[in-house]
Amino acid sequence: VYARVSTEMDSQKTSIENQIDLFQNYAAQNNWEVVEIYTDKQSGTKGNRPGLKALIEDGKAGKFDVILAKELSRLARNGRLSYELRDICLQNSIHIVCLDNSINTITGDVQNFGLFAWLYENESATSSRRNKAAKSTKAKRGLFVGSNPPYGYYSDNGKLKIREDNTPEIVRRIFREYLDGKGMDSIAKNFIAEKIPTPSQIANKSNASPLWHATTIKNILNNQHYCGDLVQNRTETISVTTTKRRTLDVGKATIRENTHEPIISKEIFQSVKKMLQTRTRTTTAPKSHLFTNVLFCENCQKGMWYKANQKGYRCGGNIKYGDTYCLNRAVIREKELKHIIIEDLHELFHSIQDDEFVQSLQIRLDQKKASITNEITKIENKAKRIRSRKKDYLDMYADEIITREELVEYRKQIDQEVAGLETAKIEFQAKLEECESENYAINLGKKLKEVSILNDLTPQVLHSLVNKITCSIEGNLRIHYNFLNPFDDQE
């Protein structure tokens, strides 16, 4: 069953509970088993909802036969998404039943599907226009209508007020340090080292990062709200069916001066604005070089950036966020790394010309295939044993040894175990397909033959043979090839 409301409000939470009660009563009347309850607290115009995504994935996995919803708008208020859901259900033999009797694929009541899909999207578009008009009116009255107030402020019924914590001082410090000549990257690094909460953390966002970025500093420096003015309606959503926004012309923005207490003076804001226009920000952003997107830091997993002044690669995490984020200061020279890889590949090529060596590689490949096949068999046998427990629990329920709630819980656990085994099986099957799709020794020989006549490493050869290279804090390198290295004893 799928239940959805648009907001996190307490009244809406009660609505979800009421929807679930309706579903459970309906299922009981039809002698159906409720396999799973999926819920979302988001707009129905968007498809990126955790509950809906889980519903679709489980449906494709054959976890249930019917989707129950209060009405089609609970599943989607987006015509395109409505049709996508319908097609997914058709392809996986899943029925859709809406409790308002609008859609019921079991009884064949689907003739008005297109009409309802259009009506609900049109209704959302109308509601969106009304909301935009209401926000525009409030903005013209000098009220803040954004979802998150600027860092350092909180909203009190649309009136911006300065927070009673250290965030206003952080804002003043950003403006002060920038005027003193400090760069945006340097300010961000210092804030990370001092563990100062980021704007997303203060706003309690679910995906809040503890890392400050130069772009965050720049956005604060450009924000006119800090000198007491309201600047709103600068962007708008493209449509109700997407979260993408477009920037409006400057003339369309709603600006009201002196609407709230400033954190910094207008003089300071204008001085910073002039500096932003004239000052060239020195950046450490990576440039594309041979090992860009191939060489990574083993410690923080960030890509390593080429530094022209050091003629080598440095950890991007350390460069951007400092030692607090990553201690890897190793410098990897491009020329030396190319030499290591070429020598390594030359050695492989010469070795693979030996018939006995080629035969040993084929034996290793056959052993690997046998091992994978054995693991798949074990998984299939284990899944079969687990599925047989379902009937045992059903018999126990029929004999009144366990309650219905216990039966549902046990079967849910079994489904989770089986799903985990199926995932593992798919992974092993993918490995087996890799083995089956190539003759290991011959293909490896073809790849390395091109390298044997090269004195330099080209991007084409590098990307065809090397998956990635990792660098430890000590500067030690590990090359991960796109093939099984015969000199590597690890499987």
Side-chain angles (χ1 to χ4, degrees):
V1 300
Y2 182 78
R4 181 188 65 78
V5 290
S6 300
T7 70
E8 294 273 3
M9 293 173 60
D10 290 338
S11 59
Q12 295 268 289
K13 291 175 184 176
T14 304
S15 174
I16 275 197
E17 293 172 1
N18 292 340
Q19 288 179 51
I20 292 172
D21 285 341
L22 284 171
F23 297 140
Q24 289 176 332
N25 290 334
Y26 187 91
Q29 290 169 10
N30 287 274
N31 198 27
W32 291 352
E33 178 188 349
V34 177
V35 178
E36 190 69 67
I37 296 173
Y38 305 86
T39 62
D40 278 314
K41 296 169 186 173
Q42 288 178 263
S43 168
T45 59
K46 311 301 186 296
N48 191 28
R49 289 173 259 151
L52 182 65
K53 288 169 73 175
L55 173 84
I56 291 171
E57 289 304 311
D58 288 347
K60 289 179 178 178
K63 190 171 181 178
F64 48 77
D65 309 298
V66 182
I67 296 174
L68 280 181
K70 186 179 177 184
E71 55 191 25
L72 184 61
S73 66
R74 295 298 94 189
L75 284 166
R77 281 183 171 272
N78 172 335
R80 177 187 55 77
L81 179 58
S82 297
Y83 283 107
E84 284 182 5
L85 286 171
R86 184 199 64 179
D87 292 344
I88 289 170
C89 288
L90 284 172
Q91 291 163 10
N92 292 277
S93 301
I94 298 171
H95 287 289
I96 299 176
V97 175
C98 297
L99 300 194
D100 64 350
N101 296 319
S102 59
I103 307 294
N104 188 329
T105 60
I106 295 175
T107 59
D109 293 333
V110 294
Q111 63 273 17
N112 292 323
F113 186 93
L115 174 63
F116 282 110
W118 176 83
L119 282 173
Y120 289 133
E121 180 172 329
N122 189 60
E123 184 181 274
S124 295
T126 302
S127 178
S128 176
R129 287 194 294 271
R130 288 173 182 161
N131 287 336
K132 285 179 182 178
K135 284 186 176 182
S136 179
T137 301
K138 288 182 179 180
K140 289 174 182 176
R141 286 168 47 203
L143 296 176
F144 179 75
V145 295
S147 54
N148 291 306
Y151 186 76
Y153 285 105
Y154 70 95
S155 178
D156 183 8
N157 293 320
K159 185 76 173 178
L160 287 182
K161 294 184 178 180
I162 296 177
R163 293 173 65 96
E164 297 179 356
D165 53 22
N166 71 329
T167 54
E169 180 53 37
I170 295 301
V171 173
R172 297 186 189 101
R173 180 179 162 185
I174 289 171
F175 279 85
R176 184 170 61 249
E177 290 187 358
Y178 188 76
L179 283 173
D180 289 342
K182 188 170 284 190
M184 288 179 265
D185 281 306
S186 298
I187 296 172
K189 279 185 185 179
N190 289 340
F191 285 1
I192 294 170
E194 296 172 33
K195 293 184 169 56
I196 294 172
T198 61
S200 58
Q201 287 178 312
I202 293 297
N204 291 318
K205 292 186 177 180
S206 58
N207 60 343
S209 169
L211 301 177
W212 283 82
H213 299 270
T215 51
T216 308
I217 302 298
K218 186 176 182 180
N219 289 337
I220 289 175
L221 292 171
N222 277 300
N223 197 332
Q224 194 174 331
H225 287 109
Y226 292 117
C227 59
D229 301 337
L230 267 181
V231 183
Q232 301 184 106
N233 298 330
R234 290 174 292 186
T235 64
E236 68 176 6
T237 53
I238 295 174
S239 74
V240 294
T241 62
T242 178
T243 56
K244 290 185 178 180
R245 304 183 69 84
R246 60 184 164 212
T247 302
L248 300 175
D249 295 336
V250 177
K252 291 185 179 181
T254 304
I255 303 176
R256 291 293 302 272
E257 295 187 359
N258 305 317
T259 58
H260 54 273
E261 185 181 354
I263 291 179
I264 53 105
S265 67
K266 279 186 167 61
E267 292 73 24
I268 290 177
F269 182 78
Q270 290 301 323
S271 297
V272 166
K273 187 176 180 180
K274 289 178 182 177
M275 284 188 70
L276 287 166
Q277 291 171 345
T278 58
R279 183 172 167 186
T280 302
R281 173 174 163 249
T282 56
T283 180
T284 53
K287 294 182 180 180
S288 182
H289 283 268
L290 180 62
F291 294 103
T292 300
N293 298 324
V294 176
L295 184 58
F296 295 88
C297 171
E298 194 173 277
N299 186 50
C300 71
Q301 307 304 314
K302 293 287 185 183
M304 297 186 72
W305 297 355
Y306 183 81
K307 300 286 289 180
N309 60 338
Q310 294 177 304
K311 295 182 180 179
Y313 297 83
R314 285 268 318 278
C315 169
N318 179 270
I319 291 172
K320 191 169 185 179
Y321 304 120
D323 290 347
T324 307
Y325 183 83
C326 182
L327 293 171
N328 194 342
R329 287 178 164 270
V331 179
I332 304 301
R333 310 291 180 194
E334 183 170 286
K335 186 176 181 180
E336 294 173 5
L337 183 52
K338 286 168 67 175
H339 178 74
I340 290 170
I341 293 175
I342 289 174
E343 288 296 309
D344 200 10
L345 294 174
H346 278 169
E347 185 177 358
L348 279 171
F349 176 74
H350 291 305
S351 297
I352 208 166
Q353 305 311 302
D354 185 283
D355 290 339
E356 290 185 7
F357 187 77
V358 172
Q359 188 177 0
S360 70
L361 288 180
Q362 191 64 56
I363 291 172
R364 283 186 67 180
L365 182 62
D366 292 341
Q367 289 174 341
K368 184 180 178 183
K369 287 163 61 177
S371 175
I372 293 171
T373 303
N374 187 41
E375 289 297 325
I376 291 174
T377 302
K378 287 181 181 178
I379 289 171
E380 289 174 341
N381 291 337
K382 187 174 181 180
K384 188 176 181 180
R385 290 196 302 271
I386 291 174
R387 286 193 181 96
S388 68
R389 281 162 39 198
K390 258 190 175 183
K391 185 178 182 304
D392 295 338
Y393 287 128
L394 194 60
D395 292 340
M396 291 169 70
Y397 171 66
D399 294 336
E400 298 184 351
I401 298 174
I402 60 174
T403 64
R404 180 175 178 78
E405 289 73 21
E406 288 174 323
L407 172 64
V408 172
E409 183 61 30
Y410 287 143
R411 298 187 71 173
K412 183 177 179 181
Q413 291 175 5
I414 289 172
D415 289 337
Q416 289 174 345
E417 288 182 53
V418 171
L421 290 171
E422 287 297 329
T423 300
K425 180 181 175 181
I426 290 170
E427 291 173 357
F428 277 112
Q429 285 175 332
K431 291 179 181 179
L432 189 60
E433 287 175 6
E434 289 176 7
C435 296
E436 298 287 359
S437 65
E438 65 175 323
N439 184 311
Y440 180 83
I442 294 175
N443 282 344
L444 181 57
K446 285 179 180 178
K447 286 184 177 181
L448 296 178
K449 186 175 182 179
E450 183 181 354
V451 183
S452 68
I453 58 175
L454 290 178
N455 293 320
D456 196 14
L457 188 65
T458 65
Q460 291 80 7
V461 172
L462 173 68
H463 291 288
S464 68
L465 293 173
V466 178
N467 181 29
K468 71 174 181 177
I469 305 168
T470 55
C471 172
S472 69
I473 292 177
E474 297 78 18
N476 298 321
L477 296 170
R478 186 178 179 188
I479 304 170
H480 304 257
Y481 289 105
N482 287 327
F483 52 82
L484 181 65
N485 188 339
F487 300 118
D488 188 354
D489 291 332
Q490 295 180 356
E491 289 296 333

